[in-house]
Amino acid sequence: MKKIVSALFLLAFQTFAFAQEPAPYAQITNVLSRNTVSLSGDWNTLVDLYEEGFYNYRGKAKPLDQTMFMDQSFFADETRLVEYDFDHAPILKVPGDWNTQRADLYRYEGTIWYRKSFDWTRKEGKRYFLYFGAANYTSIVGLNRQLLGKHVGGFTPFDFEVTDVLKEGKNSLVVKVDNRRHTQDVPTTTFDWWNYGGITRDVCIIETPATFIRDYSLSLRKEAVPSDPKAAKKAERDVLKYGRTIEGWVRLDGAQASQTVTVEIPELNVRQQVTANAEGYAPFSFKAKVGLWSPESPKLYDVRISSGDDSVSDRIGFRTIEARGNELYLNGKKIFCRGVCIHEEKPYDAGGRSFSKEDARTLLGWVKELNGNFVRLAHYPHNETMIRTAEEMGIMVWSEIPVYWHIDWTNPETYANAENQLVENITRDRNRANIIIWSVSNETPLGDARLKFLSKLIDKAHEMDPTRLVSSAMEKTYIDRNTVTCNDPLAEKVDLMSFNEYVGWYDGDADKCDRVKWVFDIKKPVFISEFGGGALAGRHGDVKQRFTEENQEYLFQKQVVMFSKMEGLAGTTPWILKDFRSPKRFLTGIQDDYNRKGLISENGQKKKAFAVMQKWYEQLKKEYE
Ligand code: GCU
């Protein structure tokens, strides 16, 4: 009977799991500052190309007790037929993609089973959550032979409560990670980056009191700037006299949800107390003479939130960001985003998914060398350490979900997946002052279903976070031979008119930059979210010769001149900081699985075009000081 029940459960779970994804849930935020036990390190793994660990030879789901979630060791009882043994299986490091850890996995797309066994000592009155920073792409998680759940999406965190599943003594954690691509996925089956699979970010167990602080938000209240000069002057005087309004909320989770919450910012002499409602929700607002976060002065405050037996510390910056007509204002001052695009790859030739502070410092150090103050983290949410390191270094961020190219626009599960990734991204990073833009997509083909899908995502982003700008990397359109614009219907919905243009690379040669004229009939800040061309570092030749450093340098020189004639330009992010792996880049001896549009090679070698951007950004830095 037990077998039938477990098979039905698994079937139901799989049917449910495959038929529709779990609704968005409020994940635990700021894990870095909580009581955690790391499970990162060596995990035993099995490459399961034919899904043997989950399906029988007729393709039907196996009863749970015949799947690899059982973590049965062959050597324990050789009378039973068990054809896998994690105890003697090869090791993969977590965090880390599998592609760059083993040559046989370089192009692998499929399932790999990960198993971590660990000892545990239970403490009464505590709750425990199993947390994954990210795993690409579909993860099914089992602990001590119980299925905890499934997560879809390769770049956002997820967690499961395991308070009643953890055992005293030895525990067995088994995770099935499958990076195969599907039409209905987000992203879909094709994208211009390497499909790095695996548990690519940290794994840990979070310990909390019975009632704990699950999530919170602190930001400056968005104040309308009075149009009347006298009123504006008075508003400025009031800020000097009384300070600015900080508002936010805390969300508790646990039986004693309606307990007192204390928010402290010692440097501002702030100590606010508020009682949470029965659902554990505690909104607050207060005035404080707060120093504002900016690239020039990336001021962060120690914030401590406590309630009952729980307390969480964070370092939070405060700033305003707004679009006024076709200009961008940070803290009421007009700015230009001197940026560059970055994929989440290690800075040197090992490549693979980056996740460490050291990697972040290297990549962002190059942005600083470029005289940059901004990064477009393409095309998916990067690891939290990258965002926090950028915040400390005074680098603003464009944060994006991988709604990339031709998505399955009419599929409700695809929308639910995209929205869930947006919710998880905003939930994780809503307190990062340096994120000023949420992007819902990149280069998506026009159409009614696409417009409806993306408009809904934009509304969701605005609803979750009215303090930031929302945009999308759209595409340019020629209205005659040499006149270009961006007339994507989505432009009505977004706060920035952002688009990718490759004049001089995919679109004519570099001299074409001299001929094109840009016109915009929508008064919003213009943001060039991609431009550039390829070059193999060290390959030299005539400026007209493709993939030479001279051609790339010449193209960038022409682009910079073209930008100087562009009305309402508020930011540029050339594609891309560093050469990166892509299965779409075949040119032997030049590309060899690398997209060569980097200003820097995969070995950290700066190309001649780097100096062109560096010089132009230096001029802009002076102009906007
Ligand atoms: C597109 C796309 C990028 C891609 C780039 C290129 O704009 O957004 O992801 O890598 O073009 O072709 O190099």
Side-chain angles (χ1 to χ4, degrees):
M1 183 57 185
K2 187 169 173 296
K3 279 187 185 307
I4 297 170
V5 170
S6 65
L8 286 175
F9 166 76
L10 182 68
L11 193 61
F13 171 79
Q14 286 172 328
T15 313
F16 167 80
F18 292 122
Q20 62 185 71
E21 296 321 318
Y25 42 85
Q27 73 246 35
I28 296 178
T29 55
N30 191 11
V31 171
L32 308 169
S33 91
R34 295 178 188 265
N35 291 333
T36 60
V37 172
S38 174
L39 295 180
S40 295
D42 291 353
W43 289 49
N44 294 98
T45 57
L46 286 169
V47 179
D48 187 2
L49 187 58
Y50 291 161
E51 300 279 300
E52 182 59 25
F54 209 58
Y55 296 101
N56 64 25
Y57 71 106
R58 297 198 190 292
K60 295 276 177 273
K62 285 180 172 178
L64 183 59
D65 63 5
Q66 290 175 25
T67 67
M68 286 188 183
F69 286 109
M70 292 299 107
D71 183 11
Q72 287 164 325
S73 162
F74 172 78
F75 295 92
D77 169 2
E78 294 188 19
T79 61
R80 280 182 305 115
L81 174 60
V82 173
E83 296 184 85
Y84 69 95
D85 175 7
F86 281 123
D87 292 342
H88 297 82
I91 296 291
L92 280 175
K93 295 273 183 213
V94 169
D97 60 274
W98 60 58
N99 312 72
T100 55
Q101 290 194 55
R102 283 187 4 213
D104 61 311
L105 300 178
Y106 178 61
R107 293 180 191 278
Y108 180 69
E109 292 188 308
T111 284
I112 288 190
W113 292 83
Y114 286 75
R115 192 290 308 268
K116 183 76 175 178
S117 63
F118 59 94
D119 290 324
W120 192 260
T121 306
R122 287 188 61 87
K123 286 186 214 164
E124 287 320 308
K126 296 292 185 188
R127 290 171 70 183
Y128 296 98
F129 296 83
L130 175 60
Y131 170 88
F132 294 80
N136 189 44
Y137 174 82
T138 302
S139 310
I140 301 178
V141 182
L143 178 62
N144 298 330
R145 301 180 171 173
Q146 282 188 43
L147 281 183
L148 300 178
K150 175 181 177 184
H151 182 266
V152 173
F155 307 96
T156 47
F158 53 101
D159 58 67
F160 303 99
E161 180 153 14
V162 292
T163 308
D164 301 327
V165 188
L166 278 174
K167 288 191 311 184
E168 187 71 23
K170 188 170 279 305
N171 287 258
S172 159
L173 171 60
V174 178
V175 185
K176 179 184 181 293
V177 181
D178 178 357
N179 75 331
R180 279 172 298 176
R181 294 160 289 115
H182 309 93
T183 305
Q184 72 275 18
D185 287 351
V186 178
T188 184
T189 50
T190 180
F191 39 84
D192 193 17
W193 67 82
W194 205 261
N195 184 23
Y196 290 112
I199 303 178
T200 50
R201 295 179 193 161
D202 280 319
V203 182
C204 66
I205 291 176
I206 306 166
E207 178 186 279
T208 74
T211 293
F212 71 99
I213 298 158
R214 176 179 277 275
D215 187 10
Y216 53 89
S217 169
L218 278 89
S219 61
L220 280 184
R221 173 174 294 163
K222 199 163 183 172
E223 312 281 5
V225 178
S227 50
D228 166 51
K230 272 196 192 146
K233 276 279 171 239
K234 181 181 179 318
E236 278 174 27
R237 283 196 305 277
D238 288 352
V239 164
L240 291 172
K241 194 170 176 187
Y242 305 111
R244 297 171 187 269
T245 303
I246 289 176
E247 62 184 3
W249 47 262
V250 174
R251 186 183 287 124
L252 302 180
D253 179 318
Q256 311 305 318
S258 53
Q259 59 191 28
T260 302
V261 172
T262 304
V263 178
E264 294 170 278
I265 310 178
E267 193 178 337
L268 296 175
N269 298 317
V270 165
R271 187 173 190 281
Q272 289 283 317
Q273 291 203 307
V274 58
T275 303
N277 67 15
E279 289 71 47
Y281 186 72
F284 57 81
S285 71
F286 52 85
K287 285 236 184 250
K289 292 188 177 178
V290 62
L292 300 182
W293 184 95
S294 71
E296 297 71 30
S297 166
K299 175 68 182 165
L300 297 174
Y301 287 90
D302 288 325
V303 176
R304 185 170 178 278
I305 298 170
S306 49
S307 183
D309 300 330
D310 199 17
S311 75
V312 177
S313 302
D314 204 342
R315 293 191 30 78
I316 294 181
F318 299 94
R319 54 98 189 99
T320 64
I321 184 71
E322 54 197 320
R324 293 181 199 165
N326 63 359
E327 296 176 333
L328 210 43
Y329 285 76
L330 180 80
N331 302 329
K333 184 169 175 281
K334 187 177 169 185
I335 61 165
F336 188 97
C337 295
R338 309 188 305 272
V340 65
C341 293
I342 299 184
H343 260 302
E344 187 182 59
E345 262 195 359
K346 290 178 180 171
Y348 294 105
D349 59 358
R353 285 287 172 230
S354 68
F355 48 80
S356 71
K357 186 134 184 116
E358 185 196 358
D359 286 349
R361 281 210 182 102
T362 302
L363 293 166
L364 296 167
W366 288 334
V367 175
K368 286 283 193 185
E369 263 188 78
L370 200 64
N371 291 313
N373 63 1
F374 186 92
V375 286
R376 178 185 175 208
L377 298 184
H379 284 291
Y380 37 73
H382 288 214
N383 62 85
E384 187 171 354
T385 300
M386 181 69 166
I387 313 283
R388 285 179 177 268
T389 307
E391 188 178 46
E392 291 160 10
M393 293 172 69
I395 295 176
M396 296 179 283
V397 167
W398 160 307
S399 178
E400 184 164 294
I401 56 171
V403 177
Y404 181 95
W405 289 354
H406 57 282
I407 293 283
D408 194 359
W409 305 114
T410 56
N411 185 330
E413 294 158 25
T414 304
Y415 179 78
N417 178 353
E419 184 174 285
N420 193 49
Q421 292 189 46
L422 178 71
V423 167
E424 291 176 342
N425 187 26
I426 294 177
T427 301
R428 187 192 75 177
D429 291 340
R430 63 159 52 92
N431 291 311
R432 306 280 67 81
N434 62 327
I435 294 181
I436 60 169
I437 299 164
W438 301 118
S439 168
V440 297
S441 63
N442 176 72
E443 277 192 5
T444 50
L446 302 190
D448 292 344
R450 167 259 190 190
L451 182 58
K452 190 162 161 266
F453 188 106
L454 295 182
S455 299
K456 211 171 157 200
L457 281 180
I458 291 168
D459 292 345
K460 183 70 180 177
H462 277 138
E463 172 216 321
M464 279 190 79
D465 180 5
T467 71
R468 288 182 174 86
L469 305 175
V470 180
S471 193
S472 157
M474 299 176 280
E475 290 187 283
K476 71 179 191 306
T477 315
Y478 278 92
I479 42 186
D480 66 33
R481 232 165 78 80
N482 284 320
T483 310
V484 216
T485 186
C486 173
N487 57 10
D488 187 321
L490 204 58
E492 296 293 337
K493 293 280 295 181
V494 294
D495 302 309
L496 287 184
M497 169 89 77
S498 312
F499 57 88
N500 301 342
E501 55 87 5
Y502 280 94
V503 179
W505 184 256
Y506 294 122
D507 171 9
D509 65 8
D511 293 332
K512 184 170 183 181
C513 293
D514 300 337
R515 298 192 301 273
V516 296
K517 199 158 75 59
W518 294 88
V519 293
F520 304 104
D521 53 12
I522 295 183
K523 212 95 171 104
K524 289 185 179 177
V526 175
F527 200 101
I528 310 292
S529 36
E530 283 181 39
F531 68 93
L536 175 66
R539 175 180 155 91
H540 297 288
D542 181 80
V543 290
K544 299 289 186 193
Q545 193 181 352
R546 292 277 185 167
F547 290 106
T548 60
E549 288 199 40
E550 286 70 23
N551 176 264
Q552 188 189 45
E553 177 189 40
Y554 183 65
L555 169 57
F556 271 77
Q557 287 163 345
K558 290 291 184 182
Q559 284 273 346
V560 164
V561 170
M562 181 177 76
F563 292 149
S564 62
K565 298 177 228 161
M566 203 181 263
E567 163 111 10
L569 185 61
T572 55
T573 47
W575 188 261
I576 188 169
L577 179 68
K578 179 189 80 69
D579 291 351
F580 62 94
R581 280 203 180 90
S582 166
K584 299 167 78 77
R585 306 298 166 174
F586 309 100
L587 191 53
T588 308
I590 290 189
Q591 293 176 318
D592 300 321
D593 285 348
Y594 276 91
N595 181 314
R596 292 290 178 200
K597 296 188 183 67
L599 293 171
I600 301 174
S601 78
E602 75 276 18
N603 298 309
Q605 198 180 332
K606 293 186 182 67
K607 304 173 194 175
K608 294 172 86 170
F610 184 95
V612 176
M613 287 311 291
Q614 186 181 46
K615 184 163 167 278
W616 185 50
Y617 280 172
E618 188 184 27
Q619 290 161 2
L620 282 169
K621 188 174 175 181
K622 289 192 182 98
E623 198 179 308
Y624 279 80
E625 257 164 5

